Amino acid sequence: MYITKAYSAAGSTSPLVPDTIPRRETTAHDVAIEILYCGICHSDLHTVRNEWSSVMPTVYPVVPGHEIVGRVSGVGSAVTGFRPGDLVGVGCLVDSDHDCPSCNHHVEQFCRNATFTYNSPDKHGTAPVTYGGYSERIVVDERFVLRVPPHLDPAGVAPLLCAGITTYSPIKRWGDIKGKKVGVVGLGGLGHMGVKFARAFGAHVAVFTTSPQKMADALRLGADAVIVSTDKAQMKAHAGSFDFILDTIAADHDINAYLGMLGLDGELTLVGAPETPLQVSAFALIFGRKRLSGSLIGGIKETQEMLDFCGAHDITADVEVIPIQRVNEAYERLVRSDVKYRFSIDMASLKAG
Ligand code: NAP
Ligand code: ZN
């Protein structure tokens, strides 16, 4: 075991502050990683503030961060896939039981014994729970380490590890989306990646936003249309016209308004995870035989596929790179939907600070 620098929160109303945490020595199958960048996901904020207490209560101190890009600094004796110096990524998962239907079907995120990158019981016993990427170093089982296309900007790659796979997976799963009318609700970290992927797959993409000032950016990111969701006339003009809608909103909202945008047999997939339950009107679903579904990140195999796709198509997140000393300010901006379009923490600032 050794000690590494990190930022942690001591309670649901505490800011993130400098701290030190233990990391395990590399075991035979482990990869040790020096973290270069870590994205800030709204899930980090939900967890730090214990907003998901009924489902996944937060154990404090919490070290968030599951959009990790770094360089391999060492490998265990049995590791074959990675070498020191490799550019790698780690997302929301660091382990699973490898022995259940979910693991066998490459959807480890649904393994009942999955270990998430932070706030999960630490099977190695290094600490009570796992600690995430707002830290200098991390040690991860090689089966959960991803290869990063080396020509991509690592600061913009970091958010692919969560925001990227969380939007790539449900769009791919929907089927042949080419030429279909796709709506992305909320232009934040997830939403802006959803726009990029839907566009790359050949869909006609419309962004639903509560922030009219994001219109020009939405078009630049690849949207064909922008609908200001607070404008009733704009909503009415598009009612009943969508094949698929991806809802990324982080807060409570009227989901029925978006179900009303779907055409016959249309599907709305929720990826946003608001603190409070959403009220769904039966009528919003039964008229038009609509489907409401959910999706959680993606398995490791699909995450690698997504990274390779991004490598081939030069796709990265649009990031605002910040030093870790500005993380609390970034959280306040997330709450205000003021993000362009993902914060990526330059971890050199932690070494220096
Ligand atoms: P984010 O960057 O904060 O973006 C969320 C966007 O939602 C905002 O930029 C805003 O877009 C819109 N929004 C916020 N409050 C709203 C409100 N009250 N009404 C309507 N729209 C609102 O967050 P994120 O990192 O993309 O994460 C989004 C959600 O997905 C979070 O709940 C997060 O925990 C969850 N998540 C789920 C998964 C999964 O696997 N399912 C993975 C990662 C994250 P506009 O300004 O355009 O309206
Ligand atoms: Zn996330």
Side-chain angles (χ1 to χ4, degrees), residues 78-330:
V79 171
T80 53
F82 299 96
R83 284 188 305 206
D86 287 353
L87 192 63
V88 294
V90 177
C92 302
L93 293 163
V94 289
D95 210 350
S96 66
D97 63 20
H98 309 286
D99 187 29
C100 70
S102 294
C103 288
N104 292 334
H105 288 95
H106 302 289
V107 283
E108 301 87 358
Q109 72 272 34
F110 303 119
C111 169
R112 293 167 70 100
N113 298 305
T115 304
F116 291 92
T117 306
Y118 59 81
N119 200 42
S120 256
D122 181 356
K123 281 185 202 165
H124 295 263
T126 317
V129 288
T130 50
Y131 294 136
Y134 296 8
S135 60
E136 271 186 298
R137 303 187 180 97
I138 192 164
V139 180
V140 179
D141 184 301
E142 69 165 324
R143 289 171 288 192
F144 291 82
V145 178
L146 286 309
R147 287 180 307 282
V148 170
H151 65 282
L152 295 179
D153 167 32
V157 166
L160 300 178
L161 276 305
C162 175
I165 184 60
T166 301
T167 50
Y168 178 93
S169 182
I171 298 172
K172 281 293 288 247
R173 188 163 179 273
W174 190 84
D176 186 6
I177 209 109
K178 194 162 189 263
K180 301 292 182 191
K181 189 168 175 184
V182 172
V184 175
V185 188
L187 196 65
L190 266 56
H192 95 289
M193 289 311 307
V195 171
K196 290 188 185 207
F197 287 130
R199 174 69 181 229
F201 299 148
H204 176 92
V205 191
V207 167
F208 291 92
T209 183
T210 58
S211 309
Q213 71 278 11
K214 291 182 182 172
M215 192 173 293
D217 282 346
L219 297 172
R220 177 182 56 78
L221 290 163
D224 299 287
V226 184
I227 302 158
V228 178
S229 52
T230 47
D231 182 328
K232 285 202 169 75
Q234 288 190 36
M235 291 291 273
K236 201 170 166 201
H238 288 267
S241 68
F242 283 83
D243 297 294
F244 176 61
I245 293 176
L246 192 64
D247 181 345
T248 78
I249 298 177
D252 191 22
H253 60 285
D254 178 16
I255 193 173
N256 304 300
Y258 300 104
L259 290 170
M261 297 295 115
L262 293 172
L264 178 64
D265 288 326
E267 178 172 4
L268 185 151
T269 297
L270 271 178
V271 285
E275 178 178 2
T276 49
L278 297 169
Q279 297 249 5
V280 182
S281 155
F283 294 98
L285 288 172
I286 62 182
F287 279 93
R289 207 163 52 191
K290 295 165 186 175
R291 290 190 300 271
L292 173 60
S293 58
S295 191
L296 177 71
I297 47 173
I300 295 300
K301 186 166 178 254
E302 193 176 32
T303 305
Q304 188 63 61
E305 175 193 307
M306 179 272 311
L307 285 169
D308 295 343
F309 180 86
C310 288
H313 294 85
D314 277 322
I315 293 175
T316 52
D318 282 35
V319 289
E320 199 175 322
V321 177
I322 59 162
I324 196 154
Q325 291 77 9
R326 282 180 50 205
V327 68
N328 295 301
E329 179 192 326

